[in-house]
Structures are given as C-alpha cells and as structure tokens.
Amino acid sequence: MALSEEALRQQLGKYKFRDLTIEELKNVNKTYPNFVFSMNTYTFKDGSQKDLLNFSGTIPVKYGNSYNIPICLWIMDSHPFAPPICFLKPTANMGISVGKHVDARGRIYLPYLQRWSHPQSTVIGLIKEMIAKFEEELPLYSLSSSDAARQSELLSYIAKITEGETDTKAKGKIGGDKDRCFNKITVIGAGDLGMACVLAITAKGAADRVVLLDLSEGATKGGTMDLEIFSLPNVEISKDFSTSANSKVVVLTVNSLGNAQTYLDVIQSNVELFRGIIPAISHYSQNSVLLVASHPVEIMTYVSWKLSAFPKSRVVGIGGNLDTKRFQYILANLLKTEVLGKDAWIVGEQGEEKVPSWTNCNLVAHQIETAAACNSREKVANRALEVLKGKGQRSWSVGLSVADLTDSILKDKRKVHSVSTLAKGCYNINSEVFLSLPCILGTDGVIEMMKLEEDPVMLEKLQSSAASIHDLQQQLKL
C-alpha cells in the first residue's frame, strides 16, 4: 500500500517522535507492501485506552511448506523508544498454538521486544526475528470445521485487542508441568542489586531454583560472568523470558540508565522499561507474586500492578521492610526497649518521608498509660531514627531484605512485614497509590493488612506522601 506521508503526519499528531516513526513505517511499507495501516483504539490491561497506529498483514514463514502468517502490530506513541505491541491475527479456520512466544490471546513475545533499544531496534528487524522464531515453532494450526465455529469467540476478542482475563482454553501449556512443583524465583536485572538478591536468596535456601534474567545488551560480563564461572547450585542465568516460566515470585530490580534530565523523566524511562518486561512476566508466570525493588519503589509497584493486571495482593514493593527490621533492632538491642521494638514499624514511602508507627496499640496503651510515657516513646523513636539515618541502603543489605520477603512468601510463613501495598481506602487515602504498611505475607502475597495506631503525625505523613505520589503518577504516560 502506497503511503500518503501527509495523511500519516495528520494521523500521528500526538506521537512524540513523529518524523522518526514516519521514516521507519515508510521502510516497512517498501519491504512489506501488503501491510495495511490505520489508526484505532487500543485497550490496555487496566482498561485505559489510546488511539494508536497499527498495521496488519502477513509475513512469509517456511515450516515444511510455506505459510503466510497474519499479524497485527500496534505502534506506541513513544515509538521508536518503546517496542510495538504484537499480535497474531488468525482467520476463522486458524487456531493459536500457545508456546514460548505466543499466548492464548495471540500476543507475541520475543527476545527482540525485550531488548528493544533505539536506534539498534527496528520494526524490520523485529519482523525478521518473528519469522525466524515462527519457523522454529509455527504459531497457528488449521482447525476442523467444528473447531472453526468455536474459534469465532476468540477472534471477536482479538478484534477488540484487549488484554484482560478470558475464558479461552489454550492449546498446550507454557513451560509444561516440570516447573510447577518447584519453589522457583526469577530475579530480573543483573546489576549489583540483582546479583545481591540472587546470592541472598540462594543463601537463605528458600527456593529450589533461582533464575537471573540478564537484560543488559551484549555478551554476559561482570558479575554474571563470575556466576557462570563459579556456578552456584540451582542458579540459572538467561536472557530469555521463557526461562522464568511458572515462577512463584518474580523480583524486579531493573532501573533505566537513560539520559533523563528530570526526576519525572527518570520515572518515565523506568515505565518504558517495564512495558517490555511486565507483559512477558505476567504471560510466563501468571500466578506469581511480583516483588518490586526498582526505584522509586512505590511508583514502580503501582506501574507493575497496572501493566500486569494482577490482583493487588500479588503485586508488592519491598517498601520499608529493611528500615523496619533495622528500626526494630535498634529499639530492642541498642536502646533496650524490647516491648516497643516488637510493635514498631517504618511506614509510608522510602526516603526522608518515612515515618515510625506502632501496631498492637491496646498492648502499648496498657504499658504506656501517661502522656509523659507517650512522649518518652516518641523520644526513643526519634533517637532510633537518628541511628537509622546513618545506615545506607546498599545492594547487599537490600538483597538480604528481598530474601527475607521471598522466604515468607514461598514458605507461607504468615509473617508481618512493612511492604508497599495498595493504600486506597486506608487512613483517608482515596487515590490508587502504594505505600509501605505492615502486612501479613503468604504464598498469595498480601493476606491481610495490620491496623496501625492512628497517630496524627503518622496520618498526616501518609496522606502527604499519597498526594505527592499520586501527583507524579498522574503525569506519567502508562
């Protein structure tokens, strides 16, 4: 189809890098002239919608015989810095073969998408890898006449291009049953924090298998090379998302290393990074708990929740777990106030806005009856916070905290941890924000939120943090 550049410019009015997008689409049109371009509404997992450019057509695949595989690609409004969203577009007599690179809804997952980076990555390069992967494992099969009738429901779904849960029965299982009996953890990101998490989780002994997904470009180097040289039992290093299949917990440690100028730009870069990660993870480990350690943890936990469409209980941020453990230790061992230490928590958001709080308020009230005693508790807490300020959050210490959380989740310990959880509806917070609050953790993530003593200072801090986080989230392009 011959492209009208002027018409395309009008259609791409809201695209941030319109000229780059048009130039690439012209190249696609030269190589695949059968593709049809149009603007349509795309519906994301969280129900939000965007008008996006999409193009559909067929790509030639040799699998014994030659086949024309119908596909549809949606071009994001931040293209070419964000990867396209790719789907199969089967006809009524075609069924979808679920496998390493295709889910039951026909969405396509490829290493090329996960490693997408402008200017090295292009739509032409993406299609070439798509053809190569489909020649290894054909994504479609012919239906009998009776099956073809049942296929119409699926095709209706794909036509809407939504990504919510469906009742469609998939042909085949991702990863089979071989991983289902294991306590398997995947750590995404092979930087210092990712490495620290792998080592701490392995030392803790909670997992039967640990997968380290290295998303860095080029050959394996640095710490991951050392892990390969001095191999640890039950630790696997990979660049392929399919190795994460059927993980019980997925730990996210990645952060964008782009050239962002403002704090908002930094967060938006992380959002774009997560766009290529969360859909793949939620595809391969549909029943996992997502444990977010990327920064800023409260916002990236929210982003993970939105992009995965997982229940809120199964998306958890590391939050104030490390600070709380340190705070309790300081109170009990350095300041010798063991009773206070048992019921003390660091809540709210990471950083300067964190605030101490207390559970078991009835027990505390029984032991500390006078206003003077309450003031004494506040002084002790302030002393503990001063000590806490001198403690940085280095990778190895955060790794130990992550191992502590994964141990509670995998072993269903029902322990209380201060973790980032959806705070809407608590403490007069009415927005969808994640804040660190004491929660009971088990195999399904957050089982129950513990009630805090409603101190006015604590409430004011929580509400202030919720407002500032919500304001930032409103400026993000999800």
Side-chain angles (χ1 to χ4, degrees):
M1 182 191 76
L3 279 173
S4 166
E5 186 170 335
E6 185 57 36
L8 197 53
R9 281 185 177 279
Q10 292 177 356
Q11 289 181 326
L12 298 179
K14 294 184 179 180
Y15 275 60
K16 302 180 187 70
F17 310 101
R18 184 173 58 179
D19 291 341
L20 289 173
T21 302
I22 289 174
E23 197 61 35
E24 181 161 18
L25 295 181
K26 287 165 69 176
N27 292 333
V28 173
N29 190 59
K30 289 176 185 176
T31 309
Y32 299 96
N34 68 330
F35 276 65
V36 177
F37 295 76
S38 63
M39 290 292 292
N40 292 103
T41 302
Y42 184 89
T43 304
F44 293 91
K45 280 186 174 182
D46 64 356
S48 62
Q49 295 182 327
K50 270 189 180 181
D51 289 333
L52 297 177
L53 178 73
N54 77 87
F55 55 91
S56 57
T58 60
I59 55 175
V61 172
K62 290 184 179 179
Y63 191 83
N65 297 322
S66 294
Y67 299 92
N68 289 319
I69 302 298
I71 62 169
C72 175
L73 275 65
W74 292 83
I75 306 300
M76 301 301 295
D77 56 4
S78 51
H79 187 85
F81 294 93
I85 300 173
C86 309
F87 285 88
L88 293 168
K89 197 175 181 182
T91 61
N93 62 346
M94 295 178 181
I96 295 171
S97 293
V98 174
K100 284 176 64 175
H101 304 297
V102 178
D103 69 12
R105 300 179 293 275
R107 181 159 179 174
I108 299 166
Y109 301 85
L110 296 171
Y112 199 93
L113 291 168
Q114 296 151 13
R115 299 192 303 266
W116 185 276
S117 177
H118 176 75
Q120 295 90 347
S121 303
T122 64
V123 174
I124 295 291
L126 169 63
I127 293 175
K128 285 181 179 178
E129 178 167 293
M130 198 177 293
I131 291 171
K133 295 299 183 183
F134 288 171
E135 287 180 345
E136 296 173 6
E137 186 179 7
L138 203 63
L140 297 170
Y141 64 96
S142 297
L143 292 170
S144 65
S145 56
S146 58
D147 287 337
R150 290 194 293 270
Q151 179 75 347
S152 60
E153 181 182 349
L154 177 60
L155 290 178
S156 175
Y157 175 82
I158 292 175
K160 296 176 183 176
I161 313 294
T162 59
E163 296 185 271
E165 295 298 319
T166 73
D167 296 324
T168 306
K169 299 291 183 180
K171 180 190 176 189
K173 295 179 182 177
I174 299 167
D177 292 327
K178 62 183 179 181
D179 290 325
R180 295 186 184 279
C181 60
F182 286 101
N183 276 337
K184 178 177 176 180
I185 293 176
T186 292
V187 177
I188 299 179
D192 289 346
L193 178 54
M195 293 286 295
C197 289
V198 169
L199 294 173
I201 290 167
T202 303
K204 196 83 170 177
D208 300 308
R209 183 181 305 166
V210 180
V211 174
L212 175 61
L213 272 182
D214 181 5
L215 303 184
S216 60
E217 296 180 18
T220 301
K221 56 185 178 180
T224 51
M225 183 179 72
D226 293 338
L227 269 185
E228 289 184 341
I229 295 170
F230 305 102
S231 58
L232 294 174
N234 304 320
V235 174
E236 178 181 0
I237 304 166
S238 177
K239 289 181 176 290
D240 186 346
F241 272 73
S242 65
T243 57
S244 69
N246 299 316
S247 295
K248 298 282 185 68
V249 180
V250 176
V251 182
L252 293 138
T253 71
V254 290
N255 286 290
S256 174
L257 299 177
N259 297 317
Q261 298 298 311
T262 68
Y263 184 53
L264 182 62
D265 290 337
V266 171
I267 301 174
Q268 187 63 51
S269 295
N270 270 356
V271 171
E272 300 302 335
L273 182 63
F274 272 45
R275 280 189 190 278
I277 295 172
I278 300 300
I281 285 302
S282 57
H283 163 59
Y284 287 115
S285 298
Q286 298 172 9
N287 298 309
S288 64
V289 174
L290 301 184
L291 181 59
V292 182
S294 302
H295 290 294
V297 67
E298 296 84 15
I299 293 179
M300 297 318 297
T301 306
Y302 166 81
V303 169
S304 300
W305 176 55
K306 285 294 185 181
L307 292 176
S308 68
F310 278 11
K312 63 181 181 181
S313 61
R314 289 201 285 115
V315 184
V316 182
I318 60 170
N321 186 60
L322 175 58
D323 279 338
T324 291
K325 295 291 185 181
R326 288 171 166 176
F327 187 59
Q328 292 173 344
Y329 179 86
I330 292 166
L331 286 172
N333 294 278
L334 301 186
L335 302 182
K336 307 300 181 184
T337 54
E338 189 172 348
V339 172
L340 288 180
K342 289 180 181 178
D343 305 316
W345 306 92
I346 297 297
V347 299
E349 61 179 309
Q350 284 188 345
E352 295 299 317
E353 297 305 312
K354 61 177 175 278
V355 60
S357 190
W358 318 88
T359 52
N360 289 346
C361 53
N362 290 334
L363 176 61
V364 173
H366 176 71
Q367 295 177 340
I368 306 175
E369 295 176 353
T370 67
C374 288
N375 290 334
S376 175
R377 182 181 72 173
E378 185 176 340
K379 289 178 182 178
V380 170
N382 288 336
R383 285 174 61 197
L385 285 175
E386 285 300 315
V387 177
L388 192 60
K389 282 181 181 179
K391 304 291 182 182
Q393 294 214 356
R394 300 188 180 276
S395 295
W396 64 267
S397 55
V398 178
L400 289 170
S401 176
V402 167
D404 179 48
L405 294 171
T406 57
D407 187 59
S408 286
I409 294 168
L410 286 180
K411 294 180 179 179
D412 200 25
K413 284 190 170 181
R414 309 296 176 103
K415 283 178 61 177
V416 183
H417 297 267
S418 183
V419 291
S420 305
T421 189
L422 187 64
K424 184 178 181 180
C426 305
Y427 308 109
N428 295 321
I429 296 169
N430 298 315
S431 52
E432 290 184 337
V433 295
F434 281 71
L435 291 173
S436 199
L437 296 166
C439 298
I440 299 173
L441 294 185
T443 51
D444 292 323
V446 173
I447 296 170
E448 183 183 348
M449 190 187 299
M450 302 297 289
K451 185 172 177 59
L452 292 170
E453 184 179 328
E454 295 195 7
D455 173 67
V457 174
M458 183 272 293
L459 291 175
E460 183 180 352
K461 282 257 190 176
L462 287 184
Q463 289 160 13
S464 174
S465 291
S468 61
I469 290 170
H470 183 253
D471 181 59
L472 270 173
Q473 288 174 178
Q474 291 295 101
Q475 298 176 65
L476 295 175
K477 298 176 177 64
L478 289 178

